[in-house]
Amino acid sequence: MSEDDPGADDDREDDPGADGGCENDPERFERLPATADERGVEGRATRQEVVDFWDERFGVPPETFEAFTFWEKGAGKVWALHGDAPSPIEVEALGMTFLRTRQEHWKPTTDAVQRFGRAATENVIELPREHARRFVAGEDLEPEWDGDWGYLIVAHELVGGLEPLGVGLFTYGTLQSMVPKGRRRDL
Amino acid sequence: MDVLARYESLVDDYEAFLAACERPLPQAVRVNGIKASRPADEEDAVERVREAFADEGVEATPADWNPRVLRVDTDEPGNTWPYVHGWVHGQEEVSALPPVVLDPQPGEAVWDAAAAPGSKTTQVADLLDDRGLLVANDSNLGRLSALRSNAERLGVTNVAVTNQDARNFSLNPFEVDAFDRALVDAPCSCEGTIRKNPTVLDDWTQGHVESVAGIQKGILRRAVQATTPGGVVVYATCTFAPEENEAVLDHVLDREDCNVVDYEVGLETSPGITEWDGEQFDERVREAKRVYPHQNDTGGFFCAKLEVGE
Ligand SMILES: C[S@@+](CC[C@H](N)C(=O)[O-])C[C@H]1O[C@@H](n2cnc3c(N)ncnc32)[C@H](O)[C@@H]1O
């Protein structure tokens, strides 16, 4: 067909935690409950927890997500939809993959960080151009960082603004690139 | 067989047409406002993208008819910072036409009936300001996974993806009775992509054209049915074959309550034809536009705007 994107490929966000637990029907998307009081499925994150996570970890203001609903498909993968839909809903995808929950440290997706991470004020590590290049190629780095360990928003300066590249996992002095294979590039 | 010779009588300057078909296609990208815009500042998305390209030594020139489409002097726009950030999508210039004709308004419900790999879905999402329900459907699951990765890289959050045969598409999963607008970017014989795929005509047969025309008719009819009275349906192909273009419109005009209407666009085009191979078509198909490669130095294309009866 005519308009295949030259850079497109089929690699999905790395998906280590998915095991299709039994309370969840992986074919269906279900809206996250607003708060713990309304939680029907065990272990499911709530909307409140999701919004708090972005606020507490990255300083992204809760208003950012006012017009969004959050959905779970399979165990732990949370999707963000601008607007709303009937729940449950059986579709192939709903909005964008946003956050992996049901593990000790929640992990935002590369695409969520690129889309919403400009509003972040905490746990953002800025890389110089050469390191940014290596980060998107999937390499591990050893940057100067005396902040928190764990998942960080990795960003660099592009035409006068700080632009998020993706997620890095910082432990023991090493920043591991979480950019999924299909999004890696040699620039 | 010499497929293009079929069109000698249709094209004003057949020599120029053939010459253009042999030239490789200029590289183009579409600026994605969803990620390239920074709401807080003045500079617009197009200028920001051009600057980022310039920093990498790539010249990016806006198309006259659509400043969101940039012709770029690199063979690998996929290996640039604007691409990594989802500020741009590699998309042939003329393929950016149907969403512009569809003209979706933020908040509307829109159906993209044959959507993979999502070049136009993501453009529609941008025009919708990423607001309102956008349903992207395709019958091919493998191609849908390319659509999903494009949509996510481009930061689209208002899309629901379905895997149905568009000819009997069901709106059941959604809370809407009908869409405000629908796009049918139909499967076709792709003759107009010859500049990108020089071998595209090697397997051409009349039989294939006829069979794909059957699918096109089914999808377009369903799109008209699934669109609210007064709503808009855009029908597009990347082929010259009248069997897949005007004949499809003629078939649907005859069976569904709709009209083909004129639209303005700053490209050189030719009107739809009303006669082919001894067959007469409904006069209204003239309002459709044909785009030949020599007219704007693009791929070949066909695009019609339909209005659904009140
Ligand atoms: C020209 S391509 C679409 C390109 C896409 N709109 C874009 O801009 O990236 C046509 C698509 O129609 C799909 N298709 C073919 N038959 C179909 C059917 N009966 N229902 C739904 N989709 C169909 C093909 O899988 C193919 O992806």
Side-chain angles (χ1 to χ4, degrees), chain A residues 2 5 9 95 97 114-115 118, chain B residues 35 89 130 149 155 159 196:
Chain A
S2 63
D5 190 286
D9 60 52
T97 55
Q114 286 199 356
R115 175 74 162 77
R118 277 182 191 160
Chain B
K35 284 177 95 179
H89 180 64
D130 199 24
S149 64
V159 70
K196 194 165 151 187

Side-chain angles (χ1 to χ4, degrees), chain B:
Chain B
M1 98 171 245
D2 182 2
V3 178
L4 296 179
R6 299 202 323 146
Y7 309 123
E8 186 163 358
S9 63
L10 300 185
V11 183
D12 54 353
D13 185 345
Y14 187 61
E15 293 308 313
F17 168 74
L18 286 183
C21 286
E22 284 181 8
R23 281 200 301 274
L25 202 57
Q27 281 282 357
V29 299
R30 174 176 55 79
V31 173
N32 173 40
I34 297 174
K35 284 177 95 179
S37 304
R38 287 187 186 136
D41 67 19
E42 304 279 285
E43 189 178 38
D44 87 330
V46 174
E47 274 321 301
R48 175 170 305 113
V49 167
R50 293 183 69 192
E51 250 181 77
F53 273 126
D55 284 351
E56 293 184 60
V58 173
E59 197 182 334
T61 316
D64 294 334
W65 69 280
N66 184 347
R68 285 271 168 136
V69 173
L70 303 176
R71 289 189 176 189
V72 287
D73 65 351
T74 168
D75 289 336
E76 292 192 322
N79 281 342
T80 61
W81 287 116
Y83 182 90
V84 165
H85 288 289
W87 289 6
V88 296
H89 180 64
Q91 184 173 352
E92 210 266 287
E93 177 171 337
V94 77
S95 136
L97 175 61
V100 171
V101 176
L102 189 68
D103 193 23
Q105 302 299 310
E108 285 181 339
V110 180
W111 182 37
D112 190 352
S119 294
K120 296 179 196 74
T121 304
T122 53
Q123 185 181 358
V124 169
D126 192 5
L127 293 170
L128 284 170
D129 213 3
D130 199 24
R131 280 187 288 139
L133 177 68
L134 172 55
V135 177
N137 177 73
D138 202 280
S139 58
N140 183 323
L141 199 57
R143 288 173 61 90
L144 277 182
S145 105
L147 177 143
R148 282 179 47 195
S149 64
N150 282 325
E152 295 201 330
R153 182 177 47 81
L154 296 171
V156 176
T157 59
N158 70 335
V159 70
V161 178
T162 60
N163 179 214
Q164 298 187 32
D165 185 329
R167 289 172 289 187
N168 35 49
F169 184 80
S170 158
L171 283 76
N172 276 345
F174 306 101
E175 250 159 10
V176 293
D177 302 325
F179 294 102
D180 297 302
R181 297 175 203 253
L183 173 61
V184 178
D185 186 35
C188 69
S189 57
C190 298
E191 296 163 356
T193 67
I194 186 160
R195 300 182 64 180
K196 194 165 151 187
N197 307 313
T199 60
V200 69
L201 300 180
D202 293 0
D203 300 323
W204 191 98
T205 66
Q206 183 77 35
H208 175 249
V209 167
E210 300 296 346
S211 85
V212 82
I215 298 170
Q216 293 161 341
K217 289 169 185 166
I219 300 179
L220 184 55
R221 281 193 73 174
R222 185 68 192 112
V224 172
Q225 293 161 1
T227 300
T228 195
V232 172
V233 177
V234 167
Y235 179 75
T237 71
C238 52
T239 207
F240 307 117
E243 294 89 335
E244 299 178 53
N245 292 326
E246 289 87 348
V248 172
L249 297 179
D250 179 74
H251 174 95
V252 174
L253 283 170
D254 215 33
R255 288 165 181 80
E256 302 291 339
D257 183 10
C258 62
N259 217 338
V260 185
V261 297
D262 190 21
Y263 60 88
E264 292 292 322
V265 63
L267 283 169
E268 192 186 329
T269 63
S270 301
I273 60 166
T274 54
E275 196 194 338
W276 178 251
D277 213 12
E279 224 189 302
Q280 294 290 130
F281 302 132
D282 192 306
E283 286 293 319
R284 290 174 286 178
V285 305
R286 266 190 226 285
E287 307 291 357
K289 298 194 198 300
R290 301 183 144 257
V291 183
Y292 295 111
H294 61 292
Q295 292 178 311
N296 311 277
D297 194 19
T298 63
F301 218 72
F302 180 87
C303 185
K305 179 177 184 178
L306 287 77
E307 244 167 47
V308 178
E310 294 282 351

Side-chain angles (χ1 to χ4, degrees), chain A residues 4 12-14 36 38 50 53-54 64 67 136 142 155 183:
Chain A
D4 286 325
R12 310 296 316 137
E13 187 81 25
D14 294 341
E38 292 163 41
V50 166
F53 167 81
W54 284 85
T64 312
V136 299
E142 290 181 357
R183 292 290 310 272

Side-chain angles (χ1 to χ4, degrees), chain A residues 66-118:
Chain A
E66 234 157 49
F68 289 81
T69 52
F70 301 110
W71 302 75
E72 188 176 41
K73 180 193 184 188
K77 204 181 215 180
V78 170
W79 301 57
L81 174 71
H82 205 161
D84 205 351
S87 177
I89 184 168
E90 289 193 25
V91 287
E92 299 300 319
L94 193 65
M96 74 159 42
T97 55
F98 183 65
L99 184 67
R100 170 153 296 282
T101 62
R102 297 191 192 246
Q103 57 193 23
E104 192 185 345
H105 298 288
W106 288 5
K107 178 184 160 198
T109 63
T110 302
D111 296 307
V113 157
Q114 286 199 356
R115 175 74 162 77
F116 300 103
R118 277 182 191 160

Side-chain angles (χ1 to χ4, degrees), chain A residues 126-146:
Chain A
E126 183 179 347
L127 298 182
R129 180 55 51 91
E130 183 47 32
H131 283 187
R133 247 186 258 286
R134 291 170 52 194
F135 178 81
V136 299
E139 287 178 39
D140 296 346
L141 301 166
E142 290 181 357
E144 289 292 314
W145 176 253
D146 49 21

